[in-house]
Amino acid sequence: MALGDKAAFTALYSATSAKLFGVSLRVLNNRAEAEEVLQEVYIKIWHSAARYQVNGLSPMSWLITIARNQSIDRLRKRRARHDGLDEAAELPDARPGPEALAMAGSDRARIVACMAKLEADRADAVRRAYVEGETYAELADRYSVPLNTIRTWLRRSLIKLKECLST
Amino acid sequence: MTDGLTPDEEDSVLAAEYALGLLTQAEADAFEQRLAVDPGFRAQYARWTTHFTALMENVAPVAPPARVLTAIKAQLWPTPERSLWSRIGILPALAGAALAAVVVLGLLNLDRFTAGPVVPEYTAAIAAEDQSLIVMASFDVETGALLLERTTGAVAADRSQELWLIVPDAAAPISLGLLSEEDVTTIVPPEDLAGVIAGATLAISDEPPGGSPTGAPTTVLAVGAVRDA
């Protein structure tokens, strides 16, 4: 994937921008911010294309990761400004849909099937960390437990996930 | 960490926590240093990251507005100033098409334009010589919005239509972004262009998906002069 030239980059944008815009919208729930972040994402992609070869991710995973990370950064900055007003807290589709659970056999949906085997609030915590960018402190607050407790819960859940994912 | 995890499990969990963004800045810095020197560690991180991206699988794609690509291109590849006259290939075609468009304009009924701003101050009928493509445009100076409605013709399969502003005496045609495949597109040009839209010419070119690969119109399909409403 040589991105040294404009045509290839523009073709990449054409093929992937709708998915990445969807990801930004999902995280930020705000169209104007998602548009700004999308611009930042593709600037990043252009500048870090040379590093892509060494990180072992598939192209789409790499792109989605950049979009997710950039969106989470923006979301956390927004949260820091609003200090307590968590606009993204109650998004309706925070749980996997039934079609996702039905895909249990497929390689790519293994995480969803494995998360379904965790207790509901543990799976929810993992999902909130990934999709909403919630920190340990915020998760501790949400579940009304001490920080150390939520860390232990989550780390044990990640071990379970790892075991499930490698079977 | 005293969670009763083996060192291997510790490493795996750390990689997952990093991928989830749960580490403190200090922990993340230390992790990144290890990542730089430890290929096994990198592989673990890559596996977790790949798994987590599957959580975005059900996220529906949403086409971003054309202005995002325009902004990206402008930031990555600012176009150098070039004389319009150096684009010998385009000008004769534009001049000829513009002449034909002027004739066509007189016959077009602007009442067919159904979705304009309340008080459009400038309008243009961007038309192909053979009228196979007609896009009505109206520009509202107050909101700075350019509303375009394709009343005849469509975007060809696997192609895109890009809108250009051609300002007399100025440099190269300026891209205003891609037209939607839907009939109606709204474009908000940069503020510094708003002042020169009146008296300029709008053109639509046929491009590959994503817009012109060269930063200049590839094949001009239609032109229209902007005039007072």
Side-chain angles (χ1 to χ4, degrees):
Chain A
M1 195 169 76
L3 290 185
D5 66 300
K6 294 182 186 183
F9 178 81
T10 309
L12 179 76
Y13 181 90
S14 185
T16 60
S17 58
K19 180 68 182 184
L20 298 197
F21 191 49
V23 166
S24 292
L25 281 170
R26 174 65 182 83
V27 170
L28 291 164
N29 211 25
N30 177 303
R31 210 165 169 106
E33 281 193 325
E35 285 180 26
E36 286 173 18
V37 165
L38 193 68
Q39 185 178 339
E40 292 164 12
V41 164
Y42 278 92
I43 302 291
K44 259 203 175 154
I45 290 169
W46 171 263
H47 288 300
S48 49
R51 263 180 273 145
Y52 163 74
Q53 286 88 350
V54 300
N55 68 19
L57 297 178
S58 72
M60 208 58 215
S61 291
W62 182 64
L63 295 174
I64 288 176
T65 300
I66 296 178
R68 177 262 175 193
N69 289 350
Q70 198 72 13
S71 304
I72 294 291
D73 281 353
R74 172 66 71 107
L75 184 65
R76 284 177 170 174
K77 284 191 185 120
R78 181 214 287 168
R79 281 211 197 107
R81 282 198 310 272
H82 292 177
D83 199 59
L85 291 171
D86 193 348
E87 293 151 37
E90 307 304 329
L91 286 174
D93 55 334
R95 298 184 178 274
E99 71 277 29
L101 292 171
M103 277 163 68
S106 116
D107 205 61
R108 282 153 67 210
R110 265 194 293 159
I111 182 120
V112 176
C114 288
M115 277 174 64
K117 293 184 181 161
L118 296 175
E119 291 167 48
D121 54 3
R122 307 287 198 261
D124 199 49
V126 173
R127 186 172 283 273
R128 282 185 183 280
Y130 186 70
V131 183
E132 326 288 350
E134 290 197 10
T135 61
Y136 272 134
E138 287 160 346
L139 289 169
D141 232 27
R142 177 178 293 282
Y143 294 102
S144 305
V145 295
L147 195 62
N148 283 338
T149 304
I150 193 74
R151 287 191 73 147
T152 303
W153 281 3
L154 213 93
R155 290 159 64 84
R156 295 232 173 100
S157 302
L158 290 168
I159 294 295
K160 286 190 189 156
L161 276 180
K162 175 189 144 106
E163 282 162 13
C164 175
L165 288 167
S166 48
T167 55
Chain B
M1 316 279 165
T2 51
D3 289 319
L5 304 180
T6 68
D8 270 352
E9 287 174 335
E10 278 284 346
D11 272 359
S12 189
V13 164
L14 203 60
E17 286 178 309
Y18 180 79
L20 291 173
L22 288 170
L23 299 182
T24 64
Q25 189 59 57
E27 289 168 339
D29 288 343
F31 180 90
E32 279 161 15
Q33 282 176 12
R34 272 191 71 184
L35 211 58
V37 300
D38 186 337
F41 213 41
R42 273 204 296 280
Q44 266 189 340
Y45 166 67
R47 278 196 299 274
W48 276 114
T49 304
T50 302
H51 281 302
F52 287 137
T53 59
L55 294 178
M56 293 295 185
E57 204 161 68
N58 289 340
V59 166
V62 176
R67 61 170 161 261
V68 176
L69 182 61
T70 306
I72 291 167
K73 285 179 173 179
Q75 189 175 338
L76 289 179
W77 318 309
T79 48
E81 295 289 297
R82 261 177 302 188
S83 161
L84 184 61
W85 293 103
S86 73
R87 300 181 173 282
I88 303 296
I90 293 170
L91 270 186
L94 280 180
L99 222 50
V102 165
V103 170
V104 168
L105 281 182
L107 302 174
L108 288 172
N109 181 4
L110 286 176
D111 288 341
R112 286 185 60 219
F113 189 22
T114 56
V118 176
V119 185
E121 299 192 36
Y122 300 104
T123 60
I126 312 165
E129 242 180 298
D130 62 357
Q131 290 180 264
S132 59
L133 175 66
I134 300 171
V135 173
M136 307 301 295
S138 77
F139 182 68
D140 183 339
V141 173
E142 256 186 283
T143 63
L146 187 61
L147 200 89
L148 302 126
E149 185 178 10
R150 189 181 297 111
T151 58
T152 302
V155 183
D158 299 322
R159 305 293 297 171
S160 67
Q161 287 178 352
E162 194 162 0
L163 182 70
W164 304 85
L165 186 69
I166 299 154
V167 182
D169 309 316
I174 301 160
S175 173
L176 295 181
L178 298 182
L179 294 186
S180 164
E181 279 178 38
E182 309 294 316
D183 285 335
V184 178
T185 312
T186 303
I187 289 175
V188 182
E191 268 181 87
D192 55 324
L193 292 182
V196 296
I197 284 185
T201 298
L202 289 170
I204 296 169
S205 68
D206 171 81
E207 303 294 345
S212 167
T214 64
T218 303
T219 312
V220 175
L221 297 173
V223 282
V226 179
R227 39 195 64 214
D228 281 0

